[in-house]
Every structure is written in structure tokens, then in C-alpha cells.
């Protein structure tokens, strides 16, 4: 080993590798399992080696939020329209959050403030501005779509339904719907769908609303 290298550097350790290991650990064992020691064990290095790439626990948690949004980066540049780009971003973010249910609470509670997330937003704003939207309005739209998806997933996670996108919230028992026939009818139609009509309806209403501003 070169005297100018630490053990972590010699092992090819990178910030991205640390964040991927942390996300895998959180998926498997939950956020409470996250520690530099545990992540070091996952990567086969000493915990102190991680601090060359991740300053502290807060930076690690910020990086986990970054991983979620990086995977769902708005595909605006490839979309046929800004509406379709935002639609695909919303659906991608929904899929990724549901694939990582143990980090939903982290995404809800921590803003996406890493340089990588800022670059993702900058790229999205460039594309939206090219479509004729002023940057301040485009930013409002990005925040609105993101907040809608995160809030929707948080409700699913809190419903005890395991975050299933096909079923959404836990079905209401039939015996509780005897005196509410309209609610019973609406609930039965919704449960028969293979998609998440509540999510699709709200997303489309939001996008159409953006067009009128």
C-alpha cells in the first residue's frame, strides 16, 4: 500500500459507493441500522475511512435523499413536452420511493440540499425555461410535483398497506359502508383498478392547472 494512501482509498472507496451501501443497508435493516461502523462493514473498510468522503451522519442522510432524487431525475430534456416530462418525473419518483419504503420518512423530513440535487434542479430549470416558462414559475412547478408525490407516498406508508401503488390506502371494510352508499360505490370502483387512480387524477389535474397559469 502506498504511504500516501489510506486503507479506504486503496480499496477504491468513493462517496457514491458509500451512499449505495447505506441505501442498501437502510432497505434491509431500516434507518436505525445506519452507522459508519455498519456501512464500513458492508464495504469491508474501517469506519474512519468513510469520513474522507462523507463528513458526518447528517451528510450521509442528505446523501441518501440525494440518491432517491438522482434515480428519479426529471427526464425533461428527453420528453416531447414539459408536461410529459413532469408526468414521467412524478411517476418515476413514486416508483422509487415505493421501492425504498424505509427511507420515505427521511425524504419527508430532510430537504434535498446537496450539490448534486442542485445540479439536477438546474438542468430541469434550463429545460423548462427553454419551453417558455420563467425560472421562478418552473421552480414552483417542480416543488409542487415533488411535494405531491412525497405526500402521497407518505400517506400510503402511514396507511399500513405496505405502500402498494395498485391499492393505495387500506380498503374500508364493507360493514363500515352500509350507511354511506356513494362512498361504498366509489371505493368499490377504485379497488377494482390495477393502477392508482387517485394519484393519476391528482397529477393530471395539477399538470392541467399549470397550463392555465
Amino acid at each position: 500500500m502506498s504511504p500516501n494512501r489510506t486503507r479506504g482509498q486503496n480499496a477504491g472507496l468513493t462517496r457514491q459507493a458509500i451512499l449505495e451501501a447505506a441505501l442498501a443497508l437502510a432497505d434491509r435493516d431500516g434507518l436505525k441500522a445506519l452507522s459508519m461502523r455498519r456501512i464500513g462493514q458492508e464495504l469491508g473498510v474501517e469506519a474512519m475511512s468513510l469520513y474522507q468522503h462523507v463528513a458526518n451522519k447528517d451528510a450521509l442522510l442528505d446523501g441518501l435523499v440525494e440518491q432517491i432524487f438522482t434515480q428519479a431525475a426529471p427526464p425533461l430534456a428527453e420528453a416531447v413536452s414539459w408536461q410529459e416530462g413532469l408526468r414521467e418525473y412524478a411517476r418515476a419518483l413514486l416508483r422509487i420511493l415505493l421501492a425504498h419504503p424505509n427511507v420515505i420518512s427521511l425524504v419527508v423530513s430532510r430537504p434535498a440540499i446537496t450539490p448534486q440535487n442542485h445540479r439536477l434542479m438546474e438542468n430541469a430549470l434550463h429545460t423548462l425555461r427553454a419551453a417558455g416558462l420563467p425560472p421562478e414559475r418552473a421552480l414552483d412547478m417542480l416543488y409542487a410535483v415533488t411535494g405531491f408525490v412525497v405526500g402521497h407516498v407518505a400517506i400510503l406508508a402511514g396507511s399500513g398497506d405496505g405502500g402498494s401503488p395498485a391499492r393505495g390506502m387500506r380498503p374500508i371494510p364493507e360493514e363500515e359502508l352500509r350507511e354511506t352508499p356513494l362512498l361504498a360505490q366509489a371505493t368499490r370502483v377504485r379497488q377494482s383498478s390495477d393502477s392508482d387512480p387517485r394519484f393519476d387524477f391528482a397529477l393530471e389535474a395539477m399538470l392541467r392547472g399549470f397550463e392555465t397559469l
Side-chain angles (χ1 to χ4, degrees):
M1 183 184 301
S2 166
N4 295 324
R5 284 185 171 186
T6 68
R7 181 179 174 184
Q9 290 172 321
N10 190 62
L13 195 63
T14 65
R15 177 178 179 272
Q16 182 61 28
I18 294 169
L19 295 180
E20 290 176 359
L23 184 57
L25 180 59
D27 286 342
R28 188 175 70 243
D29 297 334
L31 290 176
K32 291 183 179 180
L34 288 180
S35 69
M36 293 302 194
R37 181 184 61 82
R38 285 289 304 277
I39 297 169
Q41 290 175 348
E42 295 287 318
L43 292 168
V45 300
E46 294 180 359
M48 290 303 297
S49 300
L50 306 183
Y51 290 100
Q52 300 173 57
H53 307 278
V54 180
N56 49 42
K57 183 70 173 289
D58 280 340
L60 178 70
L61 297 179
D62 287 341
L64 285 184
V65 176
E66 173 193 298
Q67 290 297 290
I68 297 298
F69 286 101
T70 297
Q71 293 179 40
L76 297 176
E78 295 81 18
V80 296
S81 66
W82 63 262
Q83 294 94 331
E84 184 61 24
L86 288 176
R87 184 179 293 111
E88 288 304 310
Y89 164 58
R91 291 173 176 165
L93 183 57
L94 175 67
R95 289 192 301 271
I96 290 162
L97 284 169
L98 291 175
H100 302 282
N102 287 343
V103 302
I104 291 173
S105 62
L106 192 63
V107 174
V108 170
S109 62
R110 298 185 78 88
I113 55 173
T114 67
Q116 171 64 10
N117 275 331
H118 292 164
R119 286 189 290 269
L120 293 174
M121 294 177 69
E122 180 73 6
N123 291 338
L125 292 176
H126 272 293
T127 302
L128 291 171
R129 185 178 65 176
L133 298 165
E136 63 276 12
R137 179 56 51 81
L139 184 61
D140 288 342
M141 291 161 58
L142 284 172
Y143 274 124
V145 171
T146 300
F148 161 65
V149 177
V150 172
H152 181 83
V153 173
I155 291 173
L156 292 182
S159 72
D161 189 50
S164 169
R167 295 181 61 195
M169 296 184 68
R170 180 184 300 170
I172 303 172
E174 285 288 334
E175 59 271 17
E176 296 182 15
L177 295 171
R178 291 170 184 165
E179 297 181 4
T180 52
L182 293 180
L183 179 59
Q185 177 184 343
T187 301
R188 291 190 194 102
V189 171
R190 187 173 185 279
Q191 290 174 6
S192 67
S193 174
D194 291 331
S195 63
D196 187 341
R198 180 176 296 162
F199 179 87
D200 293 339
F201 172 80
L203 177 60
E204 291 306 313
M206 180 179 295
L207 293 177
R208 292 185 187 185
F210 289 160
E211 295 175 3
T212 66
L213 297 176

